[in-house]
Amino acid sequence: MATLGRIRSHGIFLLIVIGVSMVIFIITGFSNDFSNLFHPNRNSVGKIDGEKIDYQAFFAEKEQAEDFYKMIGQDIQNDEASDQILQQTWDQLVMRKLIEKDAAAIGMIVSPQELKDLTIGNNISPAIAQQQMFINQETGRFDPSLVVALIQQLDNADVVKNAPSEQLKLYRNYWKFLETNVKYSRLFEKYNTLLSKSLVVNSLEAKYAYEANKASVDVIYAMKPYFAVADSLVKVSDAEVKTLYNKRKEQYKQEPSVDFNYVVFAVKPSPEDFTAVEDSINKAKEKFAVAEDIIDVVASYSDVPYNDVFLSKNDISEDLKEFAFSGAKGTVFGPILTNDTYKLARIMENTVASDSVKLSIIAVAGQTEEATIQKRDSLLNVLKSGADFAQTAAQFSMDKQTAARGGEFGWLRETQVEQIFGKKELSEPLFRAAVNTPFVIDDMQGIIFCITEKTKPVSKVKLAVIECEVTPTSATQIKIFQDAKQFAAACKTADLMPAIAAEKGYTLVPATNINHNTPRLGNIKGSRTVIRWAFDNKVNVVSDVQECGTEFIVAGVTKRNNDKYVALADVKPALEAELRRDKKFEQVKAEFNGKTIEQLAAENLTVDTVKNLTFGSYSAGRLGNVPT
């Protein structure tokens, strides 16, 4: 009973918390940065309800979340996404710790059998049923056998032994993240149900609600807006503002903050850097135009390797697309400059071929390489004798996910071959193969391939491209650093920064009310170091040059606020406005006193009617919502 009472006492708050947990699979926004709290040299990342949270365990959960989002195709390779996942992991852990103890105290758990029913049983969680990995490509619907296949492969000793460790970790973390969140989503759902059932309306509340809505009236009113009374006619004294401030003071609690100005020195290539790269690519053009070994020439001059595959229009950047499909074999184009990158292109081959093929596979494995090839060739002979590929794949393929779909791997574009199989030279046999004719490739001993469909042929081209990005040279970087250094030296104090920045044509950026948890300045990578510096220094101090990603920053502290409460001066305008509004109310109230609606209407005031108004009404027509 004591535990149930505790649950009731938490009722409204926990309902809100549980509501948040229902969006557990969405990367949420964040307001705090845990870069100081989550320090790798500490054994714990913090405390929840007095319990220390182990550093390694916490970041193992964060890694699971990262791998989950990788698997569903979300881009997490940026600072903002990383911060969001960090915050999400912490928020979910707080929710779990908050609810788990009370739930366990009353015997509320998610049993292993219940979890099994939610993942591979008859009551599949929507979180799993909506995963693209478990959608049958033929039916377009969730297929529980694909979930079972994944779990079996993760538990299969041969798969564990032979699969690449990184890929295995990725799949394990993906499934662990899913399973954990399914479990706790169900626990939160149970807990929410209990709270909902315990928060009941008693007889007195029911009677009051009935009485409040039993009688209704139509109300006619006259209205005079506050702005119709000039501010100059209402005086608010400093003493009145201070009195209201003291009354509200607890609402103005704040974290320590700091204000500072800063100048960003972006490390960008100079005109000389562009000229040097342009000269270099022009020198390469003669050799590039006639070279027979194009791979070697591209490797010698380009930032990206030669892509020896046929490309369709969708695979070629906009700046080269027109040239690629209008020029003849051997034609050279460029150099052109696009987004700080010089490009030189040459047409190597033209063809007309399918842009995509639908691939099916049968994966086999033996104790040795020879045994694998023998088993593969035996199955290939069976297929060539007329056996059904889908049935054979379902029976013999080691890849359970594709086996469950009759060997179907899915649609494949030529540009995806290297990404999926690690060998771009496979694109030639895969895209030249006849439809519904099983075949093998020497470099892939354990797979039987079969192309079951092809898209209509389209124009394609092999394009050799030399790409040279213009980046700041060492000399340019030194020059920019020296400019930043000279600016920092000239600004003896922070109050000199605006004038000196204006003189030199630099942009001075203000940073106000920056607190300990502010993650960065705008989108400047690594700028957390500037925020830490500002908190460690006094007003009017100017920093040395701070290196933040690809930019240099010089900052100067203009204000520090270590007070427990927001200063009266900072909230005075808002308090004055509130007091002025209240005084206007009293003034208008006095003007209305003793007058009828007709008399007020004669003074050109707005007159309107609210119909069917009760004591239980939540709104009053055009007058707006009734305060609760």
Side-chain angles (χ1 to χ4, degrees):
M1 292 300 292
T3 301
L4 191 56
R6 185 180 174 194
I7 291 172
R8 286 196 182 99
S9 71
H10 292 168
I12 300 301
F13 171 66
L14 289 176
L15 281 173
I16 295 171
V17 171
I18 293 167
V20 174
S21 75
M22 294 301 103
V23 292
I24 203 165
F25 293 101
I26 301 174
I27 296 182
T28 58
F30 70 100
S31 59
N32 297 320
D33 176 29
F34 289 84
S35 56
N36 284 335
L37 179 63
F38 299 140
H39 195 283
N41 294 325
R42 298 178 181 177
N43 294 325
S44 66
V45 296
K47 289 182 180 180
I48 300 175
D49 197 20
E51 178 186 348
K52 287 186 176 180
I53 305 302
D54 179 72
Y55 175 88
Q56 297 293 340
F58 175 81
F59 275 92
E61 289 203 27
K62 176 177 178 286
E63 189 175 40
Q64 289 171 15
E66 289 174 337
D67 286 346
F68 172 81
Y69 291 114
K70 287 178 187 175
M71 289 289 289
I72 64 174
Q74 290 196 15
D75 178 20
I76 62 170
Q77 301 303 316
N78 59 73
D79 291 344
E80 185 176 356
S82 179
D83 285 341
Q84 288 175 338
I85 292 174
L86 186 71
Q87 183 72 53
Q88 177 201 20
T89 305
W90 179 256
D91 289 345
Q92 290 181 9
L93 192 58
V94 169
M95 286 191 287
R96 280 159 42 183
K97 296 295 182 183
L98 181 67
I99 293 173
E100 208 167 20
K101 285 184 181 179
D102 283 352
I106 57 176
M108 181 184 289
I109 63 169
V110 177
S111 68
Q113 184 58 42
E114 186 177 7
L115 183 58
K116 183 178 180 180
D117 192 44
L118 288 165
T119 53
I120 57 175
N122 298 319
N123 188 27
I124 300 295
S125 166
I128 290 180
Q130 293 169 6
Q131 291 297 306
Q132 191 62 37
M133 179 179 289
F134 307 131
I135 301 298
N136 188 305
Q137 299 302 310
E138 290 185 356
T139 64
R141 296 182 177 181
F142 169 73
D143 188 345
S145 68
L146 299 180
V147 184
V148 175
L150 174 63
I151 296 172
Q152 289 176 343
Q153 288 190 63
L154 294 177
D155 292 336
N156 187 301
D158 290 334
V159 172
V160 172
K161 180 180 178 181
N162 298 317
S165 59
E166 281 300 312
Q167 186 179 34
L168 185 64
K169 180 183 77 67
L170 190 67
Y171 276 90
R172 275 184 168 164
N173 280 344
Y174 167 82
W175 177 248
K176 184 64 178 176
F177 180 88
L178 260 181
E179 188 179 49
T180 299
N181 283 285
V182 166
K183 175 183 175 180
Y184 283 101
S185 288
R186 174 49 62 92
L187 182 63
F188 296 161
E189 182 182 346
K190 288 182 172 184
Y191 201 76
N192 187 34
T193 301
L194 177 63
L195 289 176
S196 300
K197 299 298 183 182
S198 66
L199 298 172
V200 298
V201 177
N202 59 43
S203 58
L204 292 177
E205 290 173 317
K207 182 179 179 180
Y208 174 80
Y210 170 74
E211 294 292 342
N213 289 282
K214 184 168 63 172
S216 66
V217 296
D218 293 345
V219 177
I220 185 170
Y221 65 88
M223 180 176 67
K224 182 175 183 178
Y226 288 130
F227 64 77
V229 180
D231 288 353
S232 59
L233 299 177
V234 181
K235 303 299 181 184
V236 177
S237 70
D238 289 344
E240 290 173 314
V241 173
K242 187 173 183 180
T243 299
L244 183 57
Y245 172 79
N246 289 332
K247 182 181 178 181
R248 301 267 185 84
K249 196 168 184 179
E250 288 305 308
Q251 298 179 18
Y252 299 129
K253 281 187 175 180
Q254 64 177 0
E255 294 293 327
S257 65
V258 63
D259 292 359
F260 55 90
N261 292 325
Y262 64 95
V263 173
V264 178
F265 295 82
V267 182
K268 296 180 178 180
S270 66
E272 292 78 13
D273 296 333
F274 280 91
T275 300
V277 174
E278 185 179 12
D279 290 345
S280 176
I281 201 169
N282 277 321
K283 289 178 182 177
K285 185 172 182 178
E286 288 186 22
K287 187 182 295 185
F288 179 69
V290 298
E292 293 184 7
D293 187 359
I294 197 66
I295 296 176
D296 184 57
V297 174
V298 172
S300 299
Y301 293 98
S302 181
D303 295 335
V304 295
Y306 174 56
N307 190 14
D308 190 22
V309 297
F310 281 102
L311 307 172
S312 67
K313 285 187 176 182
N314 293 330
D315 302 320
I316 296 176
S317 59
E318 288 295 329
D319 53 354
L320 297 177
K321 189 174 293 186
E322 183 178 352
F323 158 73
F325 290 94
S326 61
K329 179 179 178 179
T331 307
V332 175
F333 174 68
I336 60 172
L337 179 63
T338 305
N339 297 327
D340 291 352
T341 298
Y342 282 99
K343 294 183 181 180
L344 190 63
R346 175 182 165 189
I347 298 174
M348 303 305 297
E349 286 187 63
N350 302 92
T351 191
V352 175
S354 297
D355 188 40
S356 302
V357 296
K358 193 174 185 181
L359 173 66
S360 289
I361 63 169
I362 298 175
V364 297
Q367 295 295 322
T368 63
E369 184 178 314
E370 290 75 14
T372 298
I373 294 174
Q374 184 178 1
K375 186 174 182 179
R376 179 200 69 183
D377 291 346
S378 177
L379 282 175
L380 182 63
N381 289 332
V382 170
L383 292 168
K384 288 182 175 179
S385 298
D388 182 76
F389 192 96
Q391 292 179 0
T392 306
Q395 184 176 358
F396 294 104
S397 182
M398 298 289 289
D399 185 345
K400 299 304 179 184
Q401 289 193 53
T402 56
R405 302 192 294 269
E408 183 182 309
F409 187 90
W411 285 96
L412 185 69
R413 303 182 72 230
E414 197 164 353
T415 53
Q416 297 174 309
V417 172
E418 182 177 14
Q419 177 186 350
I420 294 172
F421 295 103
K423 298 179 180 180
K424 67 174 139 186
E425 53 271 20
L426 296 182
S427 61
E428 181 74 22
L430 288 175
F431 278 76
R432 303 299 170 265
V435 174
N436 292 325
T437 304
F439 64 98
V440 297
I441 300 173
D442 290 340
D443 288 343
M444 305 291 286
Q445 291 92 343
I447 301 179
I448 299 174
F449 298 90
C450 185
I451 303 302
T452 58
E453 289 184 57
K454 291 185 176 183
T455 57
K456 292 181 179 180
V458 296
S459 297
K460 304 181 79 173
V461 61
K462 274 189 181 179
L463 199 65
V465 181
I466 291 179
E467 292 188 25
C468 297
E469 183 183 2
V470 184
T471 57
T473 60
S474 297
T476 297
Q477 294 181 53
I478 291 171
K479 171 65 168 59
I480 296 170
F481 178 78
Q482 288 175 341
D483 290 343
K485 196 77 172 176
Q486 289 171 5
F487 176 72
C491 299
K492 302 297 182 183
T493 56
D495 53 10
L496 296 176
M497 289 180 69
I500 297 175
E503 178 186 338
K504 293 183 174 293
Y506 301 148
T507 300
L508 192 68
V509 183
T512 57
N513 295 320
I514 304 299
N515 62 45
H516 280 292
N517 292 326
T518 302
R520 67 178 70 84
L521 300 174
N523 293 319
I524 303 174
K525 293 183 178 180
S527 54
R528 175 74 185 173
T529 56
V530 180
I531 295 170
R532 285 198 292 266
W533 171 87
F535 271 95
D536 290 339
N537 285 274
K538 298 178 180 180
V539 173
N540 235 6
V541 173
V542 177
S543 74
D544 197 355
V545 179
Q546 304 279 333
E547 186 174 355
C548 303
T550 59
E551 295 170 308
F552 298 123
I553 288 179
V554 175
V557 182
T558 57
K559 179 182 176 182
R560 292 184 63 86
N561 187 1
N562 295 317
D563 294 337
K564 185 178 179 180
Y565 299 96
V566 177
L568 172 58
D570 292 336
V571 295
K572 184 178 180 180
L575 294 177
E576 284 181 328
E578 183 179 343
L579 288 167
R580 188 176 292 111
R581 182 201 64 194
D582 291 345
K583 290 193 173 189
K584 287 182 178 182
F585 168 75
E586 295 298 332
Q587 183 174 325
V588 173
K589 179 181 176 183
E591 290 177 12
F592 279 22
N593 189 34
K595 294 181 180 179
T596 65
I597 292 293
E598 290 75 14
Q599 289 173 322
L600 293 173
E603 295 176 8
N604 293 322
L605 297 184
T606 300
V607 176
D608 202 352
T609 301
V610 180
K611 292 184 177 295
N612 301 316
L613 190 66
T614 71
F615 279 109
S617 298
Y618 290 102
S619 64
R622 291 173 58 188
L623 292 176
N625 294 329
V626 178
T628 56

